Amino acid sequence: MASIIGVASSPFPTQTSHLLPSRSNSISSLIQLKRDSVRRLLLLRVNCSSRQVGDAETESESKVVLPDTSADTGISAYNWCAALGGIGFLETSYLTFLKFTNSEAFCPVGDGASCGNILNSSYSAVFGVPLPLIGMVAYGVVAVLGIQLGQKSRPLGIGEANGRLVLLGTTTSMAAASAYFLYILSTKFTGEFCPYCLASVLLSFSLFVSSIKGLGFQEVQKDVGIQLLIVLLVVSTLNNSYSDSQPTNTGSAMAEMEYFTTEITSESTPFAISLAKHLRSIGAKMYGAFWCSHCQEQKQMFGREAAKLLDYVECFPYGLKKGIYMIDACQEAKLEGFPTWVINGEVLSGEKKLSELAALSGFDMKEELTEAK
């Protein structure tokens, strides 16, 4: 019995010993599976979050790139402003040089008289300031602003936004002035042709369009009121300038006539020649007009040789026509009639005898003869 019991009892402990480990293994495997699943979920969440961050970065990068495209468009427009402004600066510099040197302009198209008639008319200055000089300053400002805005630097020491507004205001005033002068050309100078004037009009309108493109139509719409104010100011200034500068009775009631010269037939005496040299040496000027009979008589007093020595200023070198008035030198002298002498700063109207001119200028014939000996 003892042996049977011993033999029979021996399997039970053995079975229990086998069953217990299998249960523990299954439990541990379940725990391991849960841990693995948790890890996978964590990894998935991390991957999703990283993808979302990547998508956000991609979107932000795409948003950052968009302004660069508009900036490129702005740079292109401002480069155009710089180039066109430089061309306009060169043109007006040439015309300013001609104005201050009283030189004739070279007209590549048409006859030279048309260019001279327009460029030397009373419309070529605003309140006494030569119009080419004003244009040279305006084109220079536009060129500098265009260069600095194209390089994204602070234009003229001001902010970029303010620089764009200054550029728009400048080009607006130039376009308004060009439209005004285009009207003057079509109404006052019918049949005349001035390539420099038309080139300036084209440049001004092109600069106005380029500045609008650079600033953007939406921004321009915000400043429409300022632009209209600038246009009104420019037109009002030009109207006031030309209404004040136009002579009231200097040829307005006279018939139109082409410029002509009158031959001096009288011979010059030694006294007249010496007096003419003296008058020229002290800076005395005689202002006259080709159609003025009193001017011709004054020259006849001096004679042919002496008249050539005088510092004579012809106030109507381009003829007497509608829209063509005295040259600037005569307008600045504020003449009241012809001829007019300016001797030692004193304005003297009308014909003068040679003896009067000698006394007014301090000429002494005896001293001249003594010095000549």
Side-chain angles (χ1 to χ4, degrees):
M1 289 294 292
S3 62
I4 292 173
I5 293 171
V7 173
S9 61
S10 63
F12 291 100
T14 306
Q15 291 177 356
T16 54
S17 65
H18 286 291
L19 289 171
L20 290 173
S22 63
R23 290 178 181 178
S24 63
N25 290 334
S26 62
I27 292 171
S28 63
S29 63
L30 289 173
I31 294 172
Q32 186 66 31
L33 287 172
K34 289 181 179 180
R35 291 177 178 174
D36 292 339
S37 63
V38 170
R39 289 177 181 174
R40 290 176 182 175
L41 288 173
L42 290 174
L43 289 173
L44 288 173
R45 289 179 180 177
V46 171
N47 290 333
C48 289
S49 63
S50 64
R51 288 178 183 174
Q52 291 177 354
V53 172
D55 294 339
E57 290 177 352
T58 303
E59 291 178 359
S60 64
E61 288 177 357
S62 62
K63 290 180 180 178
V64 171
V65 171
L66 289 176
D68 292 341
T69 304
S70 62
D72 291 339
T73 304
I75 292 174
S76 177
Y78 293 131
N79 285 338
W80 273 109
C81 287
L84 295 175
I87 295 174
F89 180 81
L90 293 177
E91 180 202 8
T92 50
S93 297
Y94 169 67
L95 296 178
T96 301
F97 170 77
L98 296 179
K99 194 72 175 176
F100 283 110
T101 58
N102 292 323
S103 303
E104 294 292 336
F106 169 73
C107 287
V109 181
D111 59 342
S114 297
C115 285
N117 290 342
I118 298 174
L119 296 176
N120 294 286
S121 68
S122 58
Y123 293 99
S124 62
V126 179
F127 289 113
V129 181
L131 191 61
L133 179 61
I134 299 175
M136 184 177 69
V137 174
Y139 281 119
V141 171
V142 169
V144 172
L145 286 173
I147 293 173
Q148 294 187 341
L149 286 172
Q151 296 175 350
K152 295 184 178 181
S153 58
R154 294 176 63 88
L156 301 178
I158 60 179
E160 183 177 356
N162 292 332
R164 292 180 179 181
L165 290 177
V166 171
L167 178 62
L168 179 63
T170 304
T171 56
T172 300
S173 62
M174 294 170 67
S178 295
Y180 182 91
F181 290 120
L182 192 62
Y183 167 76
I184 294 296
L185 285 174
S186 62
T187 56
K188 303 293 185 181
F189 299 94
T190 54
E192 305 281 352
F193 183 76
C194 177
Y196 298 104
C197 307
L198 297 179
S200 183
V201 169
L202 180 61
L203 288 172
S204 298
F205 286 148
S206 300
L207 285 170
F208 177 63
V209 173
S210 297
S211 63
I212 290 178
K213 183 180 177 183
L215 188 60
F217 290 100
Q218 294 181 351
E219 293 295 328
V220 171
Q221 290 176 357
K222 297 178 183 179
D223 302 315
V224 171
I226 298 177
Q227 290 177 272
L228 292 177
L229 182 62
I230 291 174
V231 171
L232 292 175
L233 182 61
V234 169
V235 174
S236 176
T237 301
L238 293 175
N239 275 330
N240 291 334
S241 173
Y242 296 135
S243 63
D244 293 340
S245 65
Q246 303 304 327
T248 55
N249 53 3
T250 307
S252 58
M254 298 181 63
E256 295 186 1
M257 61 180 70
E258 297 292 335
Y259 175 78
F260 61 87
T261 58
T262 302
E263 183 181 0
I264 307 299
T265 57
S266 61
E267 296 291 333
S268 298
T269 63
F271 175 77
I273 294 176
S274 299
L275 177 60
K277 292 180 180 179
H278 171 72
L279 291 171
R280 190 177 188 90
S281 65
I282 65 173
K285 294 181 181 295
M286 174 187 170
Y287 295 87
F290 69 95
W291 44 262
C292 171
S293 59
H294 296 286
C295 301
Q296 303 306 322
E297 291 174 2
Q298 183 73 85
K299 291 180 181 179
Q300 291 285 359
M301 291 183 189
F302 278 91
R304 183 170 48 253
E305 296 82 3
K308 295 178 181 179
L309 300 174
L310 296 173
D311 190 356
Y312 174 74
V313 180
E314 172 60 54
C315 294
F316 294 88
Y318 304 103
L320 189 63
K321 301 178 183 178
K322 183 179 179 181
I324 304 299
Y325 301 97
M326 293 189 300
I327 61 175
D328 293 342
C330 296
Q331 292 190 36
E332 292 171 0
K334 298 180 180 180
L335 308 179
E336 295 181 356
F338 300 113
T340 295
W341 287 91
V342 178
I343 302 175
N344 295 327
E346 185 178 1
V347 180
L348 307 168
S349 299
E351 295 178 57
K352 302 295 178 185
K353 295 181 180 179
L354 298 188
S355 57
E356 292 182 71
L357 293 173
L360 291 169
S361 63
F363 176 72
D364 190 347
M365 185 63 179
K366 295 181 180 179
E367 291 183 2
E368 293 291 331
L369 293 175
T370 302
E371 292 179 359
K373 293 180 180 179

